[in-house]
Amino acid sequence: MELRLLLAFLFLFAFKVNAQEDLFGKQEKVEAKKGWLITFNANLDFPAADMAKRFGISNRFGPSVYYKTQSNWIFGAKCDFIFGGQIRDDSLMVNIKDKYGSFLTSDGKRIGVPTFERGYMIGLEAGKIITLSDKRPDNGILFLTSGGFIQHKINIYDADQSVAQLRGDYLKGYDRLTNGLFLEEYVGYVYFARNKLINFHIGIDGMFGFTQGRRDYLFDVMRPDNKQRLDILFGLRGGFYIPIFKRKTEEIFY
C-alpha cells in the first residue's frame, strides 16, 4: 500500500510542477543533457501465467546504471531483487507435513516453517525519452526495453535446521528453483528538476520470463522439475535518479 501511494504521489507531483512552470512565462529554450544516471527502482508486481500458479503479489527493488545521450537515447544495465510472501503451491512439502500442516523436529516438537518468494533479475536496457516540451527537453515519456536472466525459487526458512528432511541437499527437492531469460517493456514519465534535487520516473511495465524448472527431482510430488514455463509480471515501477550530466564546457555537475 505504501509503495502504491508513493508512486501516485510522484506521478501527480510531476504534472503539477510542469503546470506551475508554464504559469511563469516562457522559459529559455535549452538543449537536452547527456551523462550518467544512477537509479534506484521499486516495483509492485502482479503475477500471471505460470508465475501466478506459484506466487502472489511481490515486490522488486534494485539499482540501474544508464548513459543518456543528448538525443535522449538511454542505454544501461539493471539488477532487481524479487521479494514476496505469498506461496500458492498447495503441494509444497505435503509429504513431510502432519495433518495440522506443521513439521516435526528431530526431538518430536511440532513447528511451522515459513516460506517466501525470492529471486533476482539482471540484464541490459535500452530506450528513449520522448520530449513533451522544448523548454524541458530532458523530461517526457520513457520507453524502455530490457532483456537478461531471471531466477526465482521458494525460500524455505528452517532457521535452526531442526527438520531433518530440510537439511543440506534435501532442501533442493522442495525449493522449485527456476531460471531462464526474460524480456521486459516499460513505459513511464521521467522528470528532472531544474535544481537537480528531485529526479524520478514512474510508470508501468510487463516482464515475460521464458524459464524452466532446474531441479532433478521434487520429493513432495515425486517427479522431475524440468517443465518449460512462462512467468509474467505486470506492475507499477518507480525510481529516483542521481544524474551526473555534463555542460557544454564538459564541467560535470549533479
Side-chain angles (χ1 to χ4, degrees):
M1 178 63 69
E2 291 81 1
L3 178 60
R4 280 178 280 184
L5 290 174
L6 176 61
L7 294 174
F9 171 77
L10 292 176
F11 186 79
L12 293 173
F13 176 81
F15 284 96
K16 181 179 179 181
V17 171
N18 281 339
Q20 288 177 339
E21 288 177 349
D22 289 339
L23 294 177
F24 292 98
K26 294 184 177 180
Q27 302 291 330
E28 180 184 354
K29 183 176 180 180
V30 295
E31 294 182 346
K33 303 177 184 67
K34 63 180 179 179
W36 293 95
L37 301 173
I38 300 173
T39 313
F40 299 93
N41 304 299
N43 272 59
L44 176 66
D45 289 322
F46 300 87
D50 290 322
M51 202 74 162
K53 298 176 184 177
R54 182 170 294 175
F55 301 117
I57 296 173
S58 61
N59 297 104
R60 276 186 281 157
F61 303 95
S64 300
V65 178
Y66 304 114
Y67 184 79
K68 176 180 173 297
T69 70
Q70 197 165 22
S71 55
N72 275 346
W73 287 97
I74 289 180
F75 305 93
K78 65 176 289 181
C79 178
D80 284 345
F81 297 95
I82 304 170
F83 299 89
Q86 299 180 22
I87 307 299
R88 294 175 172 170
D89 194 332
D90 295 334
S91 63
L92 182 66
M93 299 183 291
V94 67
N95 62 320
I96 57 175
K97 293 179 180 178
D98 64 15
K99 62 180 180 179
Y100 303 104
S102 300
F103 301 83
L104 292 177
T105 65
S106 302
D107 54 2
K109 295 180 180 179
R110 181 178 288 117
I111 65 169
V113 177
T115 57
F116 307 94
E117 176 188 2
R118 294 293 184 265
Y120 66 90
M121 298 166 53
I122 55 174
L124 301 177
E125 299 186 280
K128 185 175 177 61
I129 298 173
I130 306 301
T131 301
L132 301 179
S133 170
D134 291 338
K135 295 179 289 186
R136 304 302 303 274
D138 296 302
N139 297 356
I141 305 300
L142 171 62
F143 295 89
L144 197 62
T145 298
S146 309
F149 178 82
I150 179 174
Q151 178 168 294
H152 59 78
K153 69 175 183 178
I154 298 175
N155 183 31
I156 302 168
Y157 189 65
D158 180 17
D160 299 324
Q161 296 188 343
S162 54
V163 181
Q165 298 94 326
L166 298 177
R167 295 175 186 165
D169 288 340
Y170 288 111
L171 193 62
K172 297 179 181 179
Y174 299 101
D175 68 4
R176 292 354 188 222
L177 179 69
T178 302
N179 58 43
L181 301 179
F182 77 86
L183 180 68
E184 186 175 23
E185 298 292 338
Y186 171 82
V187 179
Y189 180 78
V190 176
Y191 175 81
F192 292 97
R194 293 188 186 277
N195 61 10
K196 311 169 189 68
L197 295 179
I198 302 176
N199 314 284
F200 64 87
H201 70 92
I202 181 172
I204 57 176
D205 73 355
M207 188 285 300
F208 302 86
F210 308 96
T211 62
Q212 183 178 359
R214 301 299 180 179
R215 293 308 188 196
D216 294 332
Y217 196 75
L218 300 179
F219 298 135
D220 44 9
V221 294
M222 296 183 291
R223 61 169 173 79
D225 185 23
N226 54 11
K227 181 182 177 182
Q228 299 285 338
R229 295 168 52 90
L230 176 62
D231 292 326
I232 297 177
L233 294 173
F234 293 109
L236 302 174
R237 185 172 182 85
F240 292 94
Y241 292 116
I242 299 176
I244 307 175
F245 289 144
K246 292 184 177 181
R247 299 182 187 273
K248 292 181 180 180
T249 61
E250 297 300 311
E251 177 186 356
I252 298 177
F253 68 96
Y254 298 85

